[in-house]
Amino acid sequence: MSNGNMNLTLKVWRQKNAETKGAFATYKAEGISPDMSFLEMLDVVNEGLILKGDEPINFDHDCREGICGMCSLYINGHPHGPKNAITTCQLHMRSFHDGETIVIEPWRAAAFPVIKDLAVDRSSFDRIQQAGGFVSVNTGVTVDANEIPIPKVIADEAFNSATCIGCGACVAACKNASAMLFVSAKVSQLAMLPQGQPERWSRVQAMVAQMDEEGFGNCTNTGACEAECPKEIKMTNISRMNNDYFSAKLFREESTHEHAAGE
Amino acid sequence: MSLDAKIPQGPLAEKWSKHKFNLKLVNPANKRKYDVIVVGTGLAGGAAAASLAELGYNVKAFCFQDSPRRAHSIAAQGGINAAKNYQNDGDSVYRLFYDTIKGGDYRAREGNVYRLAEVSVNIIDQCVAQGVPFAREYGGLLDNRSFGGSQVSRTFYARGQTGQQLLLGAYSALNRQIHLGKVKMYTRTEMLDVVVVDGQAKGIVTRNLITGEIETHSGHAVLLGTGGYGNVFYLSTNAMGSNVTAAWRAHKRGAFFANPCFTQIHPTCIPVTGDHQSKLTLMSESLRNDGRVWAPKTVETAEKLRKGQLKAADVKEDDRDYFLERKYPSFGNLVPRDVASRNAKEMVDDNRGVGASGIAVFLDFADAINRLGKDAVAAKYGNLFDMYYQITNEDPYTQPMRIYPAVHYTMGGLWVDYNLSTNIPGLYALGECNFSDHGANRLGASALMQGLADGYFVIPYTLGDYLATIGPKPVDTNHPAFAKTKQETVDRINKLLSLKGTRTVDDYHRSLGHIMWEYCGMARTEEGLTKAKGLISDLRADFWKNVIVVGENDEINPALEKAGRVADFLELGELMVDDALMRRESCGGHFRLESQTPEGEALRDDDNFAFVAAWEYKADNQPEVLHKEVLDFEFVHLTQRSYK
Ligand SMILES: Cc1cc2nc3c(=O)[nH]c(=O)nc-3n(C[C@H](O)[C@H](O)[C@H](O)COP(=O)(O)OP(=O)(O)OC[C@H]3O[C@@H](n4cnc5c(N)ncnc54)[C@H](O)[C@@H]3O)c2cc1C
Ligand code: FES
């Protein structure tokens, strides 16, 4: 079914589940077309494995157009592969050459345990968002949208932070497995907007506390996260969050999170 | 069984407010005594789960991805409509209503569509309050654009990522309720059946996608917000996991499936490059605001382009056929999707297609770049141009894009009444998985609107009426229906694992897709559809003998997940064909070659087909029974659509 002429060797991390130890296994990917996406190349390999009665390589994916954040893969030492500003599902085989050996690993971080082969558990990201990544507004209890004018530059900047897809590449790229870029993107988006002001100080504290609890590492400003982020989220978000975090700690200690004790 | 859509009487503009007043309310103190199951946490399900939890109900929500933030809604690019009239260009609730009814080729209910237009304005307020960063003008107010052939600017957008921003808004509202303990979220969990007790939906059967555990969950009501079934065509713009299983299982438990053949084929997608292709990528409709669609005038020129002997940018103006501008002078490149798609197909059928495969036409920005400058074009469409470049390795700033229609959206879905209730009491369907508001063709930027309308502003009212009626008595999970439905799910999984045949699930899926695209795609005939019916039923029989699913149930097993979904597509496909055969008229996305105007446009047959086709499942391999819900047009006068 494949229709190209590239032949590649894949060294793929296989791990049955979170409890067992994993190891690399080697596969041939043959007859690969340069027009295939990286995941389509894996589909071809998997079809072959299934026909032999072997278990296909497990990896996460869904939209295959760079927006859902489901795909991951650490390819030849880079989250989402060698090219900048794209996700694995947007990577095409024309970025590799015939005969190449490609090493494919899962995200590696204590807070992202492997669940099978190349798929990891990123529910820690959800829990951080649940801790405070929202504006507390109930459905229907709102004013007319244009009663909240927002200068275009601010709206645009908030948008830049809001484009994070929650894939976890920043954590995978960081030698400390820090989640600061991910957390700060949400904190900044809401801190820049008027809607986010009332909970600004409690939000940053709650989200950072949850981040620490999940076991993510500290930020030492190496910048690998920004370099590898498929959506080019900037480290200025981290500075903004740090500022807010210290302001909240120093001056607004009294502002405990509204939901700390349930409703 | 008779179909009662429960549309309230009275003038259009008063139907919804009167209805809301007449609905029963659940006493605030009692709300916490009700459990509500919400399957799917995209825009529709996510908005519903959050809003119902805010009201005080206990919600259990489910999705098959690892996080609610990844639902397929995330991929929507272009925008969301709302009748705010912020641009003062003559928009109104009535105009949005009218455009939607007309755009749907008069196959949607007036009452539903009017309500949709009415609540559209609240959606924008809600999303802005959540912090959704919509595009703004320099004065700080919200910006709008015109979208999909609309003659007013009513589309709100967030660059090319509107769906992402709206979904993250709903996700944040959902997260807040998870944090408060009012929503229990089950990720990586797939619903595989509905539990019906004495005719009412009382629970679901799920599979934990990590451990394989099959569980039952009970609730006073079950809401499905499980998205569309475009992947029945194998290739579509949908995400890989999008599927019909939840809706199809509900159908097999008695819920009617309405207008299954109404699928939307989007005109501007990146063409297929080979058999390895796993999905198709949409190039947003907004590109047609500035891009011009053309094909070479002659077969000879097309031939040269296909062989690479001529570059598109070098084709002389005289040798180009801007076919949409030529045929539809007043709407030009902005004709609705179904019209644009069919015309592209005509060019290809006429042997004037381009690209190596010959299955594409051009979408050209040269004029826009000349007129506005490259930077202005980049500011508007930069991310789409980059996406195009990533996939094709061609630069759309210097060569026109190659585009071709692809399956994009399904207007058909579970039949629901005005309250979003299926015909099984207690079972509701929201968003793309119901059939309700788009008739035979959905207008651009209207699906996000409908998903959020259903989730934020309709179901929170209508569900209360049902719950107040049945009362808060706990659901009896010892009822044999729970154990029985669970056992049937287990048996089905074991059957799939035991076949150990020789053809992969993907291979069957691909074959099904070919059949659907060829015979139930952009142009349909009696002969082709009849043939397709036989092909699908043979393929299905072969699947159940010969499919290979490796691995076990008690582990992550994507091949097993997919096998279950493809098995359901193989049944749905046949129903779509039956529906298309029955509907001997052309309307919207459903084009029967036998029913055309002399100019080759879709010809409706209002005398015989102004109805919703709701299909009832009887038993496997038995014909389904058709129920007709006649559409009454009290306020809008039916005309043939014309975009000339
Ligand atoms: C590429 C693309 C671009 C689009 N652009 C636009 C646009 O610009 N404007 C517009 O208005 N519309 C657009 N649409 C259409 C629109 O995005 C969708 O119709 C809409 O988002 C569907 O939302 P939903 O909530 O109904 O379903 P989805 O967002 O698809 O969510 C489905 C949910 O159900 C869950 N689910 C499904 N089955 C099961 C199961 N068996 N068990 C458990 N969970 C299950 C999934 O996990 C997910 O959470 C676009 C569509 C595509 C494909
Ligand atoms: S699969 Fe969605 S971002 Fe890659």
Side-chain angles (χ1 to χ4, degrees):
Chain A
M1 61 149 277
S2 44
N3 50 2
N5 48 17
M6 292 172 79
N7 295 318
L8 304 147
T9 303
L10 309 181
K11 287 184 70 181
V12 183
W13 186 260
R14 303 295 310 255
Q15 181 173 339
K16 191 161 175 51
N17 52 39
E19 287 74 47
T20 49
K21 271 178 77 175
F24 281 104
T26 305
Y27 302 93
K28 293 270 173 237
E30 286 167 344
I32 299 301
S33 153
D35 287 333
M36 283 181 191
S37 72
F38 195 84
L39 298 183
E40 286 168 347
M41 181 275 293
L42 286 179
D43 291 342
V44 171
V45 173
N46 275 345
E47 288 261 301
L49 289 175
I50 293 173
L51 287 174
K52 284 196 288 177
D54 292 341
E55 276 209 38
I57 301 162
N58 184 55
F59 58 90
D60 273 330
H61 65 106
D62 198 21
C63 74
R64 294 206 176 184
E65 52 186 67
I67 194 74
C68 74
M70 187 97 184
C71 66
S72 49
L73 305 193
Y74 199 76
I75 302 166
N76 287 346
H78 293 280
H80 294 302
K83 296 195 79 173
N84 282 341
I86 56 170
T87 53
T88 292
C89 60
Q90 294 174 294
L91 179 63
H92 279 69
M93 294 314 292
R94 63 179 82 91
S95 299
F96 299 88
H97 52 81
D98 188 28
E100 192 171 340
T101 296
I102 306 176
V103 183
I104 313 172
E105 296 169 78
W107 287 170
R108 300 212 190 260
F112 287 165
V114 171
I115 51 173
K116 184 174 182 179
D117 296 342
L118 302 170
V120 300
D121 177 354
R122 287 172 288 199
S123 53
S124 47
F125 267 18
D126 278 340
R127 287 188 294 272
I128 296 172
Q129 297 293 341
Q130 288 157 16
F134 46 77
V135 171
S136 295
V137 52
N138 281 358
T139 300
V141 193
T142 56
V143 295
D144 183 85
N146 261 351
E147 284 182 27
I148 315 174
I150 301 172
K152 183 168 160 49
V153 278
I154 294 191
D156 287 350
E157 193 52 25
F159 178 89
N160 290 338
S161 302
T163 56
C164 168
I165 58 175
C167 64
C170 46
V171 174
C174 175
K175 64 179 167 50
N176 309 321
S178 163
M180 287 288 273
L181 194 65
F182 167 77
V183 180
S184 66
K186 192 72 196 178
V187 168
S188 294
Q189 176 203 339
L190 295 177
M192 279 184 269
L193 296 172
Q195 302 92 308
Q197 296 315 308
E199 295 162 292
R200 180 168 177 177
W201 313 110
S202 56
R203 176 181 307 112
V204 64
Q205 294 185 62
M207 290 182 77
V208 169
Q210 189 65 36
M211 174 180 83
D212 291 342
E213 192 171 315
E214 297 290 347
F216 288 101
N218 289 327
C219 173
T220 49
N221 276 311
T222 41
C225 53
E226 178 182 286
E228 298 284 6
C229 173
K231 296 294 147 184
E232 304 183 292
I233 304 284
K234 297 283 172 259
M235 281 178 69
T236 40
N237 289 298
I238 299 184
S239 326
R240 284 193 205 111
M241 177 165 88
N242 281 335
N243 279 340
D244 271 18
Y245 185 71
F246 290 114
S247 307
K249 274 265 175 260
L250 284 175
F251 309 117
R252 332 240 172 188
E253 203 65 283
E254 74 281 6
S255 62
T256 48
H257 199 248
E258 74 156 311
H259 302 131
E263 200 168 42
Chain B
M1 137 147 226
S2 75
L3 279 177
D4 180 3
K6 306 209 173 106
I7 311 283
Q9 296 298 315
L12 262 185
E14 288 168 26
K15 284 181 192 290
W16 178 231
S17 16
K18 274 201 181 149
H19 188 65
K20 278 193 288 188
F21 179 74
N22 290 329
L23 290 170
K24 285 194 207 99
L25 297 174
V26 177
N27 173 328
N30 272 345
K31 290 206 174 97
R32 64 188 164 75
K33 296 182 189 155
Y34 289 94
D35 297 327
V36 179
I37 289 176
V38 181
V39 186
T41 44
L43 286 181
S51 306
L52 292 167
E54 285 163 12
L55 289 173
Y57 299 111
N58 298 313
V59 176
K60 292 192 214 176
F62 299 81
C63 73
F64 67 75
Q65 291 93 346
D66 71 337
S67 163
R69 69 181 294 151
R70 310 208 199 280
H72 177 54
S73 294
I74 200 95
Q77 302 174 352
I80 177 167
N81 287 332
K84 281 283 195 188
N85 194 27
Y86 280 163
Q87 306 307 319
N88 197 25
D89 57 359
D91 200 13
S92 62
V93 167
Y94 194 85
R95 188 180 292 280
L96 175 54
F97 152 75
Y98 181 82
D99 287 354
T100 308
I101 285 276
K102 176 184 170 198
D105 221 357
Y106 307 96
R107 290 294 173 265
R109 293 178 189 142
E110 288 181 331
N112 280 60
V113 176
Y114 193 89
R115 174 179 65 189
L116 176 65
E118 195 177 334
V119 302
S120 69
V121 297
N122 306 114
I123 295 173
I124 302 304
D125 299 341
Q126 188 64 35
C127 296
V128 166
Q130 290 166 345
V132 169
F134 283 120
R136 287 180 184 267
E137 296 168 346
Y138 284 100
L141 301 181
L142 290 159
D143 191 20
N144 292 112
R145 61 183 171 201
S146 140
F147 201 71
S150 150
Q151 291 180 318
V152 291
S153 289
R154 62 160 76 99
T155 303
F156 294 77
Y157 65 101
R159 265 180 237 167
Q161 285 143 265
T162 316
Q164 180 196 30
Q165 295 310 317
L166 296 175
L167 184 63
L168 293 180
Y171 166 72
S172 71
L174 183 64
N175 279 336
R176 177 171 160 240
Q177 296 305 314
I178 295 172
H179 183 73
L180 291 169
K182 288 304 292 179
V183 174
K184 171 124 181 64
M185 184 71 218
Y186 297 79
T187 59
R188 292 201 198 257
T189 305
E190 181 165 17
M191 168 195 147
L192 294 175
D193 217 331
V194 188
V195 181
V196 180
V197 176
D198 302 329
Q200 295 180 335
K202 292 290 182 200
I204 58 172
V205 179
T206 58
R207 178 169 179 270
N208 178 319
L209 299 182
I210 298 181
T211 64
E213 195 181 346
I214 309 294
E215 290 175 309
T216 55
H217 298 270
S218 66
H220 292 86
V222 176
L223 278 49
L224 304 183
T226 48
Y229 52 84
N231 277 347
V232 66
F233 289 85
Y234 186 68
L235 289 182
S236 82
T237 62
N238 289 8
M240 300 299 286
S242 298
N243 71 90
V244 77
T245 289
W248 193 253
R249 297 281 118 201
H251 176 53
K252 294 186 79 167
R253 293 284 166 200
F256 293 176
F257 209 102
N259 299 336
C261 83
F262 286 172
T263 33
Q264 174 162 84
I265 314 246
H266 195 292
T268 55
C269 303
I270 302 181
V272 177
T273 60
D275 276 350
H276 59 263
Q277 191 105 25
S278 59
K279 76 155 280 160
L280 294 170
T281 302
L282 175 76
M283 287 285 101
S284 166
E285 180 154 48
S286 59
L287 290 169
R288 285 196 280 144
N289 285 343
D290 287 301
R292 298 178 70 193
V293 179
W294 64 276
K297 257 191 196 149
T298 63
V299 177
E300 294 75 66
T301 315
E303 199 95 298
K304 283 191 197 155
L305 285 160
R306 292 199 281 262
K307 291 194 181 132
Q309 295 163 349
L310 181 64
K311 276 198 171 323
D314 298 333
V315 176
K316 287 202 212 64
E317 212 43 42
D318 274 357
D319 294 337
R320 302 174 175 205
D321 178 8
Y322 294 93
F323 52 91
L324 294 178
E325 297 171 22
R326 170 172 58 83
K327 290 174 72 176
Y328 308 97
S330 63
F331 279 70
N333 293 297
L334 295 175
V335 290
R337 294 177 176 178
D338 51 339
V339 180
S341 292
R342 254 191 324 271
N343 278 280
K345 178 178 189 303
E346 254 173 43
M347 292 296 128
V348 167
D349 290 349
D350 207 22
N351 203 11
R352 290 196 275 147
V354 299
S357 66
I359 308 181
V361 296
F362 290 125
L363 179 61
D364 201 328
F365 295 89
D367 283 352
I369 292 171
N370 279 338
R371 183 166 35 95
L372 308 166
K374 186 176 167 185
D375 289 349
V377 171
K380 275 190 180 165
Y381 308 115
N383 66 328
L384 296 168
F385 279 35
D386 290 348
M387 216 174 185
Y388 182 84
Y389 173 75
Q390 284 306 336
I391 293 172
T392 62
N393 210 27
E394 290 170 6
D395 175 14
Y397 292 101
T398 55
Q399 289 292 326
M401 286 184 177
R402 286 173 298 109
I403 49 147
Y404 200 62
V407 173
H408 180 56
Y409 181 87
T410 48
M411 283 76 71
L414 289 173
W415 182 89
V416 289
D417 64 15
Y418 190 71
N419 294 322
L420 303 181
S421 172
T422 69
N423 55 303
I424 300 180
L427 181 67
Y428 292 76
L430 287 66
E432 191 173 343
C433 82
N434 73 26
F435 89 105
S436 67
D437 297 353
H438 308 293
N441 172 55
R442 173 177 71 82
L443 290 181
S446 289
L448 301 180
M449 168 172 74
Q450 181 226 332
L452 290 179
D454 288 0
Y456 285 134
F457 295 108
V458 179
I459 197 73
Y461 292 96
T462 61
L463 184 66
D465 185 65
Y466 171 74
L467 294 177
T469 311
I470 62 165
K473 198 166 87 103
V475 176
D476 172 18
T477 49
N478 292 323
H479 190 282
F482 279 90
K484 182 164 176 287
T485 314
K486 178 176 170 179
Q487 190 55 45
E488 285 170 9
T489 304
V490 171
D491 292 347
R492 201 173 131 84
I493 288 175
N494 288 340
K495 174 93 198 276
L496 285 168
L497 288 167
S498 71
L499 292 169
K500 304 211 184 307
T502 53
R503 257 182 97 178
T504 62
V505 175
D506 273 335
D507 206 20
Y508 281 102
H509 194 184
R510 219 176 280 124
S511 297
L512 174 65
H514 281 305
I515 300 170
M516 297 304 293
W517 181 244
E518 185 64 27
Y519 302 109
C520 200
M522 278 186 281
R524 303 160 173 187
T525 63
E526 178 101 34
E527 194 195 337
L529 289 164
T530 310
K531 183 167 171 201
K533 195 167 155 61
L535 291 172
I536 297 170
S537 102
D538 292 350
L539 188 68
R540 187 170 61 238
D542 191 64
F543 174 93
W544 282 106
K545 278 198 216 101
N546 226 344
V547 73
I548 173 168
V549 182
V550 296
E552 305 300 331
N553 176 54
D554 63 358
E555 60 177 348
I556 297 186
N557 190 338
L560 176 62
E561 291 164 28
K562 183 122 205 237
R565 294 172 192 167
V566 171
D568 291 336
F569 279 141
L570 282 162
E571 295 179 7
L572 165 76
E574 197 172 334
L575 183 65
M576 290 170 70
V577 166
D578 281 335
D579 187 48
L581 265 172
M582 176 280 301
R583 196 169 278 279
R584 303 165 68 99
E585 65 160 350
S586 295
C587 60
H590 172 64
F591 193 65
R592 283 285 299 260
L593 284 176
E594 299 94 336
S595 181
Q596 317 183 27
T597 65
E599 299 90 46
E601 299 299 330
L603 181 64
R604 285 199 329 268
D605 175 356
D606 293 330
D607 292 339
N608 293 301
F609 291 99
F611 62 79
V612 174
W615 296 90
E616 180 184 4
Y617 168 86
K618 286 291 185 190
D620 281 343
N621 298 313
Q622 266 190 36
E624 298 215 358
V625 174
L626 174 64
H627 300 265
K628 297 180 183 175
E629 179 201 328
V630 174
L631 292 165
D632 286 326
F633 290 94
E634 262 186 89
F635 304 94
V636 167
H637 175 64
L638 275 65
T639 54
Q640 278 299 334
R641 283 190 311 165
S642 167
Y643 295 95
K644 293 267 172 197

